Amino acid sequence: MPVDHEFGDQHTELKLSIVEKYLRFFTTALRGKFDELWYIDAFAGTGSRTIRHEHRPAGLLDAGEPERVERRRGSARIAIDVKPPFDLIVFVENKPSYFAALEELKANYPNRRIVVIKNDANEALKSLIATNSWHSTRAVLFLDPYGMQLEWSTLEKVAATKAIDVWFLFPLSGLYRQATRDLADVDAHKRAALTRMFGSDAWEEELYPKTVREDLFDGLVEEPRQRAADVAGLEAYAKSRLETIFAAVLKPLPLPMHERPQRFSLFFCISNPKAIRLASDVANHILKAGMAS
């Protein structure tokens, strides 16, 4: 019986369409140039997503619609369908029911090299990177975390391969929930999450600059520290951090595009300095087409 995995809306369709277009380019352009082309999905889900359509009664000009359940392809199914095909597909999923659904999906393709790993995404990615040679392998990694689980140390390992292109759906809403307006409200839990996300505690000085005022009686007095960056500023800060480890990071696509506040930023990160021009040209073209849709 299919496992329901309900998530997303129109911005999910756009995100998956963008990634699918890049995957098609990747396997077409690099086929024959490297021994192995891989796709890695670190938060793979079930392979499909469930959309529930509620009953809509008939009207004068409308026949209405019965209640129904629709299942559409998720990122895992999309990667399997890409032509030319990837040499190896790796799905990582830690939730038992989702892992079981991916194993069932894998069984439908006995002639394909598909690996399903049940583990924390950070641990799985670090192990995968450490136990493989990247000289003759190129890969696309899709990161669509369930919140702020992704660690900076994992991104550092990915970037260091100089062999992996990354589509990263950055959880911007998670960032501005943790990085509250007043620094005094950033408790120990929020501090740990921000440091894990950005790799150091430098975010405190960079996002919450110190300001002072001159007091008639006390001289220079430090004001309570507040976050200076708005949502766009937080996105820019995330981009600047990614640029410290990747060879190039493109301007992200805000998602959802026509809703505020923005909840996600779809980043494209290039780890190989020799591939910047070609990968950037193609990814920028795809992103611009997405913005126009």
Side-chain angles (χ1 to χ4, degrees):
M1 184 175 180
V3 176
D4 286 340
H5 187 193
E6 299 182 51
F7 65 96
D9 46 33
Q10 286 186 338
H11 80 268
T12 299
E13 293 297 322
L14 176 57
K15 167 194 69 180
L16 293 176
S17 172
I18 287 170
V19 172
E20 182 174 18
K21 288 174 183 175
Y22 188 80
L23 297 184
R24 289 174 180 167
F25 151 75
F26 186 88
T27 58
T28 300
L30 300 189
R31 176 64 57 204
K33 293 181 172 61
F34 296 94
D35 292 345
E36 294 272 306
L37 300 180
W38 293 8
Y39 172 80
I40 308 166
D41 197 329
F43 301 89
T46 64
S48 63
R49 69 186 190 97
T50 304
I51 302 174
R52 297 186 184 277
H53 298 269
E54 296 183 358
H55 168 71
R56 185 163 49 82
L60 289 175
L61 302 175
D62 188 348
E65 183 179 6
E67 181 180 355
R68 62 188 177 89
V69 174
E70 179 186 1
R71 285 186 172 83
R72 297 182 182 176
R73 296 183 308 159
S75 55
R77 277 288 308 277
I78 285 171
I80 292 173
D81 290 344
V82 165
K83 298 290 189 295
F86 283 93
D87 298 299
L88 175 67
I89 293 176
V90 180
F91 298 136
V92 180
E93 180 54 60
N94 209 21
K95 187 173 180 178
S97 60
Y98 292 1
F99 171 78
L102 290 169
E103 286 279 33
E104 186 175 331
L105 176 64
K106 170 188 172 180
N108 293 329
Y109 299 89
N111 297 324
R112 298 290 301 275
R113 289 172 61 206
I114 300 174
V115 175
V116 185
I117 302 171
K118 186 182 182 303
N119 200 353
D120 169 76
N122 296 289
E123 293 179 11
L125 285 173
K126 289 174 183 177
S127 176
L128 186 69
I129 288 167
T131 55
N132 288 279
S133 170
W134 297 94
H135 295 296
S136 59
T137 298
R138 291 294 180 267
V140 180
L141 169 63
F142 182 44
L143 297 170
D144 189 354
Y146 308 122
M148 296 176 65
Q149 299 95 326
L150 190 67
E151 299 171 3
W152 185 258
S153 58
T154 303
L155 287 171
E156 287 180 315
K157 296 291 186 183
V158 171
T161 65
K162 293 182 168 53
I164 302 175
D165 290 343
V166 182
W167 286 97
F168 179 14
L169 190 71
F170 184 85
L172 193 61
S173 61
L175 173 55
Y176 55 71
R177 282 197 302 268
Q178 303 298 327
T180 53
R181 178 63 65 181
D182 295 315
L183 180 60
D185 294 331
V186 182
D187 58 24
H189 174 78
K190 289 181 169 63
R191 284 179 178 275
L194 290 165
T195 298
R196 186 171 61 249
M197 170 179 272
F198 290 127
S200 80
D201 59 7
W203 56 265
E204 183 172 329
E205 296 295 328
E206 293 162 350
L207 292 178
Y208 297 88
K210 293 179 181 178
T211 58
V212 295
R213 61 178 173 84
E214 189 170 358
D215 185 89
L216 181 63
F217 300 104
D218 299 323
L220 295 179
V221 178
E222 185 174 325
E223 296 276 20
R225 290 168 66 180
Q226 291 190 320
R227 170 165 54 80
D230 57 9
V231 172
L234 288 174
E235 180 185 73
Y237 181 74
K239 183 175 185 290
S240 71
R241 289 294 299 146
L242 292 168
E243 287 171 335
T244 65
I245 56 173
F246 285 98
V249 180
L250 301 192
K251 180 182 178 180
L253 178 71
L255 292 173
M257 287 183 57
H258 306 298
E259 293 180 22
R260 292 295 178 267
Q262 178 185 337
R263 302 200 304 273
F264 303 97
S265 300
L266 183 59
F267 282 102
F268 181 66
C269 308
I270 303 166
S271 63
N272 188 342
K274 297 179 181 179
I276 291 175
R277 183 172 179 178
L278 178 60
S280 295
D281 286 349
V282 173
N284 269 322
H285 176 76
I286 294 171
L287 286 167
K288 287 176 182 176
M291 287 182 176
S293 63

